[in-house]
Amino acid sequence: MRVAIVHDWLYVVGGAERVLEQLLRIYPGADVYALFDFLPEADRARLGYAHARTSFLQRMPFARTRHRNYLPLMPLAIEQFDLSAYDLIISSSYAVAKGVLTGPDQLHISYVHSPMRYAWDMQHTYLRESGCEAGAKSLVARFILHHMRVWDFRTAAGPNAIVANSAFVARRIKKVYGRTAEVIHPPITLSSQRFDGPRGNHFLVASRLVPYKNVEAVVRAFARLPDLQLVVAGSGPDAAHLRAIAGPNVSFAGFVSDEGLRHLMATARAFIFAAEEDFGIIVLEASAEGTPVLALGRGGVRETVQVRGPQRTGMFFDTPDPEAVAACVRGFIEQEDRFTREACRAQAEMFSADLFRIRFSRFVEEQLALHRAACETRPRILPRLEAVG
């Protein structure tokens, strides 16, 4: 059985690329396709492939740094991949990968990290943060996004089966595509060594510093909590603004290595997450370090943080504003001793890479069996009209 894995694009290693890594462990001989691939060789080796077969976008000017400018060409580019030699095609899609062209005798399973958020329910947020709310630039952007929605909806009929990375995304898929998706949560990397030392005095935020991550709400919340310490890890365009509004009890670590981030998580009193995400792998990474999570109670975190029962792993706040965050932190402090490292780690282990491979492999085998049975079924041929006469 020849297998192709189609990924949107490859230029950083994030959550979607961790899924790709596990898919390549399941199918180590698979060929990898992507619109473009600018990963260094070390990252490619880490993910499990030597080179990807890329589209014409790989050779376009400034594709490495301004690839989003080529969004209108991406549907055309993904449709140029000739996958006719493969029996099984797996697309790992958060933009256009699910739109590859496949035949009736090929099985196409699409792991959808999310429908294109900037073209659907987050269009207005995207336009606002891009400075495209009004004027000629806005008109062009809205026209492009409209056509992306039309293409995205049409190509949703292509895969034989769709897998969602969370029940939250499955609901979005049902709403915008009208299709039912199987939920298989993405894998997280569990720590090889457990930290059982004392906790520090700090609360932790780790995020790219952009508006929709709502880090500003957390920073302003700690202005109301002057006796508590907050550490902000990460970089981004909002960094200077956040430093300007932060009080003396807020420190900025900037970009930190994976090892450094794990240590900050393990020694934090709690990890604070104020964004609405499709899944939120970093939340489970904090749990894997035995650290409780205080999160905005929307999106995928509702499936990964236990807020009831004796094995609680965190608490939710309802809105991403300073008052709600501060109230949640105060509520956590009142019952801090009820949260254990063991409960947090046990929750994270339910999302391990081993379990992901088992669940995904089982789903593919089920779909292969159904597909083969459908291909072997002979259609009933109606008699010719003259024979009936």
Side-chain angles (χ1 to χ4, degrees):
M1 183 174 66
R2 294 199 62 188
V3 180
I5 300 177
V6 185
H7 197 71
D8 284 307
W9 51 73
L10 294 158
Y11 75 104
V12 294
V13 176
E17 287 68 39
R18 295 184 191 185
V19 170
L20 174 63
E21 177 185 3
Q22 297 307 317
L23 294 177
L24 286 168
R25 290 195 179 190
I26 301 172
Y27 306 103
D31 292 328
V32 176
Y33 287 78
L35 292 178
F36 49 84
D37 181 6
F38 296 121
L39 287 180
E41 289 187 11
D43 283 342
R44 295 177 189 174
R46 171 185 166 191
L47 295 180
Y49 74 99
H51 71 277
R53 306 184 185 198
T54 58
S55 73
F56 63 82
L57 294 181
Q58 179 81 20
R59 301 179 296 278
M60 298 294 280
F62 308 109
R64 184 186 293 268
T65 56
R66 299 181 181 179
H67 64 269
R68 295 187 187 278
N69 291 347
Y70 292 107
L71 180 65
L73 294 178
M74 289 180 182
L76 173 65
I78 206 73
E79 292 173 349
Q80 302 316 302
F81 288 139
D82 182 2
L83 304 177
S84 57
Y86 298 95
D87 306 295
L88 171 64
I89 295 95
I90 300 171
S91 57
S92 170
S93 182
Y94 50 88
V96 298
K98 70 168 178 45
V100 290
L101 304 180
T102 59
D105 291 333
Q106 296 174 293
L107 177 63
H108 176 193
I109 295 175
S110 186
Y111 189 97
V112 177
H113 303 274
S114 176
M116 288 184 285
R117 291 179 295 176
Y118 43 84
W120 292 97
D121 53 311
M122 291 189 69
Q123 172 187 286
H124 302 293
T125 300
Y126 168 77
L127 292 172
R128 182 169 57 254
E129 294 182 0
S130 301
C132 296
E133 285 189 283
K137 189 177 178 181
S138 174
L139 183 62
V140 171
R142 292 172 191 273
F143 179 80
I144 291 171
L145 292 176
H146 168 74
H147 283 276
M148 291 298 295
R149 278 193 295 276
V150 173
W151 180 89
D152 193 39
F153 177 79
R154 179 180 62 78
T155 57
N160 298 77
I162 295 179
V163 178
N165 72 351
S166 66
F168 176 68
V169 169
R171 293 194 297 273
R172 182 182 282 149
I173 289 169
K174 184 68 173 179
K175 186 177 185 67
V176 302
Y177 297 156
R179 294 198 59 178
T180 300
E182 180 82 3
V183 176
I184 302 177
H185 294 110
I188 69 160
T189 303
L190 299 174
S191 300
S192 57
Q193 295 181 341
R194 293 190 172 187
F195 180 85
D196 289 310
R199 295 194 185 278
N201 292 321
H202 67 277
F203 291 78
L204 176 66
V205 170
S207 169
R208 179 162 165 74
L209 304 183
V210 292
Y212 83 91
K213 294 291 188 177
N214 297 323
V215 178
E216 180 174 346
V218 183
V219 171
R220 291 189 181 279
F222 274 75
R224 295 165 164 78
L225 305 166
D227 296 331
L228 301 177
Q229 300 296 314
L230 174 69
V231 174
V232 179
S235 59
D238 271 10
H241 170 66
L242 293 173
R243 289 177 185 273
I245 65 171
N249 60 330
V250 179
S251 60
F252 291 81
F255 173 81
V256 295
S257 65
D258 289 346
E259 182 179 354
L261 180 58
R262 293 279 183 171
H263 181 73
L264 284 173
M265 287 177 172
T267 55
R269 295 175 68 175
F271 181 81
I272 304 178
F273 188 79
E276 179 179 331
E277 294 282 10
D278 302 322
F279 182 68
I281 285 179
I282 197 168
V283 167
L284 282 168
E285 289 178 340
S287 296
E289 297 300 329
T291 300
V293 174
L294 310 181
L296 177 65
R298 302 176 188 172
V301 296
R302 298 189 67 86
E303 302 163 48
T304 60
V305 179
Q306 292 290 337
V307 296
R308 296 182 179 86
Q311 299 299 308
R312 297 169 66 193
T313 64
M315 298 173 63
F316 291 148
F317 47 91
D318 295 331
T319 54
D321 58 65
E323 294 79 9
V325 175
C328 186
V329 172
R330 293 190 190 100
F332 168 77
I333 291 173
E334 292 176 358
Q335 46 193 310
E336 190 170 359
D337 57 350
R338 301 181 188 178
F339 297 88
T340 66
R341 288 192 184 274
E342 291 73 21
C344 294
R345 287 170 178 159
Q347 176 71 2
E349 286 168 358
M350 296 171 61
F351 301 85
S352 70
D354 290 341
L355 288 177
F356 172 84
R357 291 194 299 271
I358 290 171
R359 291 164 181 159
F360 193 85
S361 298
R362 185 178 299 158
F363 180 75
V364 171
E365 290 302 320
E366 292 171 354
Q367 293 301 312
L368 279 170
L370 292 172
H371 182 67
R372 287 166 180 158
C375 290
E376 292 170 0
T377 301
R378 294 179 179 272
R380 187 169 65 90
I381 301 175
L382 295 175
R384 296 175 61 183
L385 290 177
E386 53 266 34
V388 174

